[in-house]
Amino acid sequence: MENLIALLIGAPLLGAAVLLLGGRRLDKAGHWIGTLLAAVSFVIGLALFADMLGRSADDRALHQRLYTWIPVEGFQADMAFQLDQLSMTFVLLISGVGTLIHVYSIGYMEHDERRRRFFGYLNLFVAAMLLLVLADNYLLLYFGWEGVGLASYLLIGFWQHKPTAATAAKKAFLVNRVGDMGLSIAIMIMFTTFGSFAFGPVLGATGETSEGKLTAIGLMLLLAACGKSAQVPLQSWLGDAMEGPTPVSALIHAATMVTAGVYLIVRSADIFNAAPDAQLVVTVVGAVTLLFGAIVGCAKDDIKKALAGSTMSQIGYMILAAGLGPIGYVFAIMHLVTHGFFKAGLFLGAGSVMHGMNDEVDMRKYGGLRKYMPVTFITFGLGYLAIIGFPGLSGFFSKDKIIEAAFAKGGTEGWILGAVTLLGAAITAYYMTRVMLMTFFGEKRWQPDADGNPPHPHESPKTMVIPMVLLAVGSVAAGAFFEFAGFVEWLEPVTGFAHGHSPLSATTVTTATVAVMVIGVGLAYVQYGRKPVPVVAPRGSLLTRAARRDLLQDDLNHAVFVRGGTHLTRSLVYVDHTLVDGVVNGTAASVGGLSGRLRKLQNGYARSYAVSMFGGTAVLIAATLLMRAV
Amino acid sequence: MNPVNYLYLAALLFTIGAAGVLIRRNAIVVFMCVELMLNACNLAFVTFSRMHGNLDGQIIAFFTMVVAAAEVVVGLAIIVSVFRARHSASVDDASLMKL
């Protein structure tokens, strides 16, 4: 069975190669090839999953070694894969949701003349993401990590004729580079410390390593996770990444790629377990981002950017849970999977709405769409109920567990983290209700588009509707399925699990979670359901205005890094011009002057050369005689 | 007679030759002065051979004569061809090798 692992990656990689190298003759069939190969990957994933279930819990990990990637004395990197329960979960999520989004894109990108290329990029992304989760060493993981970064860049900037999209792609790439530096530094520290970067030797040797080194590795891994998963302080790219086509936002910037940071932390669980300081920083980053994203999500009028804020916030939950240690790892992954379902569903719903509304993204120009797009309304509504944690739906189970684990952290930290997660749950309910009410309820506030065509909202084609329905089913059922099918027991052999001892009983936490959700929904209803929504955004409070500008993150980056960097480079240029060039030019000028003088000796007269020969000989002989005499 | 006197003569001849090489412009005269220097050396070699009582100096004097004969052939040929090309045997006229 283990020989199939490479095929998981190989199928979409083949698709990417065929579609991107095949040229125009594949324009007609390209989308089917891309979708088929993503589906092949999913089917292989299912087969491996069935096989894995057939073995005992301790014997489930599979390994495949293809070849030695970098054979150097004392430094060996293998092209080798590891498929354990954690990787399996990701494989099914990536290839499953990925396939659905391929199907959706067939309809969504129907009128785009570069559709074949789009599917090539999607396949490339799926292959890179699978490589990331299947690698059995950090260097190969880094390869996949950069691969998804590249695919993300290509897809955000897919509509490169729009300057905003091109800029957003560059921004995402640059911000991600900062995080990638963290990962490469972490790998370097690992290599110097453990002499290897394969998961086995590194994670198995954490017991004999100093805590300082582990903390350093942990913090660098966290930096990497912050970049890829859009966590504070590297979160600024995610909102702009919504310039890409909506299926991209659903697949990459909601369901899969942005969760790579969570994967990295959970995969490196042994390192973080042994470095409590790094763990604390992880929880703080998670908690801050959780609130940050939620607040930004409340203020955005662009439906995709509101959802992007929500993604940031939900990944904040996962990172926070991953920072809690063994009491949280499993729940981080559980929330990651349920979030994969409902957030992909929500984004696809948003794409469907935009499809019907002449690509309008401003929710203030929606309203009353539930009658015109019933299926989108129902599937989006189910995703909405799942994300706010409506009892029984998937978000309820996974988020409730994280809140419980946050309280179980213990001490003052536990109370603070618990309070933050509860507050986050309330804000989540608020902003999602706001999105729901502004889009599907209330009076019509439709505006004609730039060409003066009034929108004619209609239900989307079947290729778009079916994935939305399937994801809605997942949003509803995944949580309960995981809860009762034993997700904890499934992941425990890989990530470890410890029961937290919460100062509050499980019932109290659940009641509180539901209560804050009701409060959030109620507040949003009072504000957006009972009063008509103004088409032009009101000025808003100071916080609202700041949140509309992503809580001034871009301004901060601009002031500190862009302006600071400009000043730094200018002063360096000055030093280069005056000092370095001065020394170099001065040396050249003095050598030039000296040689100008020496040149005069070469006058071409044989007799003057003879004089210098005689003179030189005379001096030499005199010196020799003098030395003899002394 | 004291052999040292021969050495004085050799030094005198060498100095005359060297001064001629440095001062005179006519290539033929310069060439003759070079020969004078060579023969001054020969005289010194033979004198030293006599003073030290072995034949090394005399053998080297033969070598010098052979080399000088060869040099005369090549040197005169160059001077003649330079004279044909430039209608002048002045060494200062052939001063093209300069920057």
Side-chain angles (χ1 to χ4, degrees):
Chain A
M1 281 312 270
E2 61 265 19
N3 294 330
L4 286 176
I5 299 176
L7 277 184
L8 277 175
I9 304 168
L13 195 62
L14 175 75
V18 167
L19 292 179
L20 294 178
L21 301 177
R24 294 235 172 84
R25 72 195 79 134
L26 289 176
D27 272 355
K28 287 219 165 54
H31 46 287
W32 293 114
I33 298 174
T35 311
L36 180 74
L37 285 166
V40 164
S41 195
F42 181 56
V43 171
I44 298 173
L46 280 180
L48 285 165
F49 179 57
D51 177 63
M52 186 179 272
L53 283 181
R55 275 172 283 136
S56 70
D58 297 329
D59 189 31
R60 282 186 171 156
L62 286 177
H63 294 270
Q64 182 186 12
R65 194 175 156 283
L66 278 190
Y67 56 91
T68 305
W69 178 25
I70 306 176
V72 178
E73 180 70 34
F75 176 101
Q76 190 176 351
D78 285 342
M79 188 59 86
F81 308 119
Q82 170 183 326
L83 182 71
D84 57 12
Q85 289 91 324
L86 181 61
S87 304
M88 192 75 240
T89 313
F90 271 88
V91 165
L92 290 179
L93 176 74
I94 295 159
S95 58
V97 175
T99 306
L100 288 179
I101 287 171
H102 274 76
V103 174
Y104 179 90
S105 305
I106 295 175
Y108 191 84
M109 302 297 281
E110 193 171 3
H111 304 296
D112 196 303
E113 58 191 19
R114 293 161 72 230
R115 178 162 65 164
R116 169 184 56 83
R117 190 184 292 243
F118 181 78
F119 275 83
Y121 292 159
L122 276 188
N123 270 355
L124 180 67
F125 168 76
V126 172
M129 188 73 199
L130 287 172
L131 179 64
L132 196 166
V133 299
L134 284 171
D136 94 327
N137 58 63
Y138 280 98
L139 202 64
L140 197 55
L141 182 148
Y142 187 57
F143 187 17
W145 188 271
E146 293 295 319
V148 293
L150 168 70
S152 165
Y153 167 78
L154 292 171
L155 286 165
I156 295 170
F158 185 71
W159 287 324
Q160 60 212 186
H161 53 270
K162 287 199 297 185
T164 48
T167 315
K170 267 188 280 181
K171 184 175 178 186
F173 202 75
L174 282 176
V175 177
N176 264 298
R177 291 306 309 163
V178 179
D180 297 346
M181 281 309 294
L183 185 51
S184 62
I185 293 171
I187 294 174
M188 289 177 211
I189 303 177
M190 274 175 205
F191 188 71
T192 54
T193 311
F194 304 103
S196 167
F197 32 67
F199 289 150
V202 170
L203 300 177
T206 49
E208 303 106 57
T209 314
S210 74
E211 195 182 313
K213 271 193 174 163
L214 291 174
T215 307
I217 296 176
L219 290 178
M220 286 297 118
L221 289 176
L222 175 65
L223 181 65
C226 282
K228 201 57 88 191
S229 294
Q231 299 294 294
V232 174
L234 297 178
Q235 85 293 9
S236 65
W237 64 274
L238 189 64
D240 294 288
M242 297 300 129
E243 288 293 338
T246 309
V248 172
S249 310
L251 177 62
I252 301 185
H253 306 122
T256 54
M257 184 189 86
V258 288
T259 58
V262 184
Y263 172 79
L264 185 67
I265 292 176
V266 174
R267 178 55 83 195
S268 314
D270 291 336
I271 293 174
F272 284 96
N273 289 344
D277 292 341
Q279 264 186 330
L280 182 67
V281 181
V282 174
T283 50
V284 170
V285 165
V288 169
T289 313
L290 189 170
L291 292 179
F292 191 107
I295 292 170
V296 169
C298 291
K300 293 284 185 187
D301 289 330
D302 178 327
I303 186 168
K304 283 175 73 182
K305 290 197 172 166
L307 290 176
S310 153
T311 300
M312 228 183 260
S313 166
Q314 298 301 314
I315 296 172
Y317 269 105
M318 299 169 209
I319 295 275
L320 189 151
L324 293 174
I327 55 174
Y329 292 133
V330 174
F331 302 128
I333 300 299
M334 185 162 154
H335 193 57
L336 191 156
V337 177
T338 57
H339 175 258
F341 281 115
F342 58 67
K343 188 51 69 64
L346 286 170
F347 264 110
L348 294 191
S352 174
V353 169
M354 286 161 58
H355 199 69
M357 294 292 285
N358 295 346
D359 287 329
E360 178 61 63
V361 288
D362 189 347
M363 291 189 291
R364 293 188 183 276
K365 296 174 184 165
Y366 290 167
L369 287 173
R370 66 180 186 283
K371 293 191 202 102
Y372 298 89
M373 309 176 122
V375 184
T376 306
F377 168 62
I378 291 168
T379 53
F380 196 92
L382 289 173
Y384 155 74
L385 290 177
I387 193 175
I388 65 171
F390 191 81
L393 275 70
S394 63
F396 168 75
F397 289 102
S398 53
K399 198 184 290 181
D400 187 55
K401 290 276 192 284
I402 291 180
I403 296 172
E404 219 173 285
F407 276 113
K409 168 92 173 160
T412 328
E413 288 167 32
W415 285 104
I416 295 173
L417 293 176
V420 167
T421 49
L422 272 180
L423 180 61
I427 307 179
T428 306
Y430 174 82
Y431 66 71
M432 282 314 299
T433 311
R434 174 176 177 270
V435 169
M436 198 70 196
L437 290 173
M438 284 173 90
T439 305
F440 291 104
F441 292 88
E443 75 288 10
K444 301 172 192 169
R445 300 179 301 274
W446 307 346
Q447 309 282 323
D449 66 3
D451 302 330
N453 303 322
H456 299 288
H458 52 272
E459 196 49 86
S460 300
K462 279 212 175 53
T463 46
M464 288 169 68
V465 169
I466 292 169
M468 283 155 59
V469 172
L470 291 175
L471 285 171
V473 171
S475 313
V476 173
F481 174 74
F482 289 152
E483 175 74 10
F484 298 111
F487 194 71
V488 173
E489 290 75 26
W490 160 254
L491 270 187
E492 193 188 345
V494 183
T495 60
F497 179 68
H499 277 287
H501 300 288
S502 170
L504 300 173
S505 73
T507 332
T508 321
V509 172
T510 309
T511 318
T513 312
V514 175
V516 297
M517 178 200 88
V518 172
I519 293 171
V521 172
L523 270 178
Y525 179 72
V526 169
Q527 223 173 336
Y528 294 95
R530 300 210 353 224
K531 294 185 285 195
V533 179
V535 175
V536 178
R539 197 170 138 75
S541 67
L542 201 62
L543 181 65
T544 314
R545 273 178 282 150
R548 279 190 195 134
R549 304 190 56 167
D550 298 323
L551 291 178
L552 306 180
Q553 170 70 24
D554 286 338
D555 305 75
L556 182 76
N557 283 350
H558 190 77
V560 176
F561 297 108
V562 178
R563 296 242 299 279
T566 315
H567 285 305
L568 181 68
T569 49
R570 282 207 187 126
S571 47
L572 284 176
V573 164
Y574 178 75
V575 169
D576 183 50
H577 276 176
T578 51
L579 196 69
V580 179
D581 286 7
V583 168
V584 171
N585 291 342
T587 312
S590 50
V591 169
L594 193 63
S595 51
R597 304 261 153 76
L598 284 173
R599 194 186 60 147
K600 301 238 164 75
L601 292 174
Q602 300 283 332
N603 54 12
Y605 294 117
R607 292 183 301 140
S608 78
Y609 300 146
V611 168
S612 45
M613 267 171 68
F614 274 110
T617 316
V619 168
L620 279 178
I621 290 172
T624 316
L625 291 178
L626 204 64
M627 292 307 291
R628 282 252 182 99
V630 176
Chain B
M1 203 160 85
N2 190 357
V4 177
N5 290 334
Y6 291 99
L7 287 183
Y8 289 142
L9 177 63
L12 190 64
L13 286 174
F14 188 89
T15 311
I16 293 169
V21 168
L22 296 183
I23 293 167
R24 298 304 296 264
R25 290 188 188 150
N26 190 318
I28 303 286
V29 178
V30 170
F31 201 61
M32 280 157 52
C33 289
V34 170
E35 293 300 315
L36 199 56
M37 285 161 77
L38 285 168
N39 283 313
C41 292
N42 273 351
L43 182 58
F45 276 128
V46 174
T47 309
F48 284 129
S49 177
R50 169 84 181 191
M51 283 165 77
H52 294 293
N54 63 22
L55 288 176
D56 291 358
Q58 299 203 21
I59 291 167
I60 290 182
F62 274 115
F63 276 106
T64 312
M65 279 183 216
V66 172
V67 172
E71 182 232 337
V72 166
V73 174
V74 178
L76 275 178
I78 292 173
I79 291 169
V80 168
S81 68
V82 166
F83 183 77
R84 278 191 184 154
R86 301 178 155 264
H87 303 290
S88 153
S90 168
V91 289
D92 285 0
D93 282 354
S95 63
L96 299 174
M97 277 176 58
K98 64 181 173 190
L99 286 166

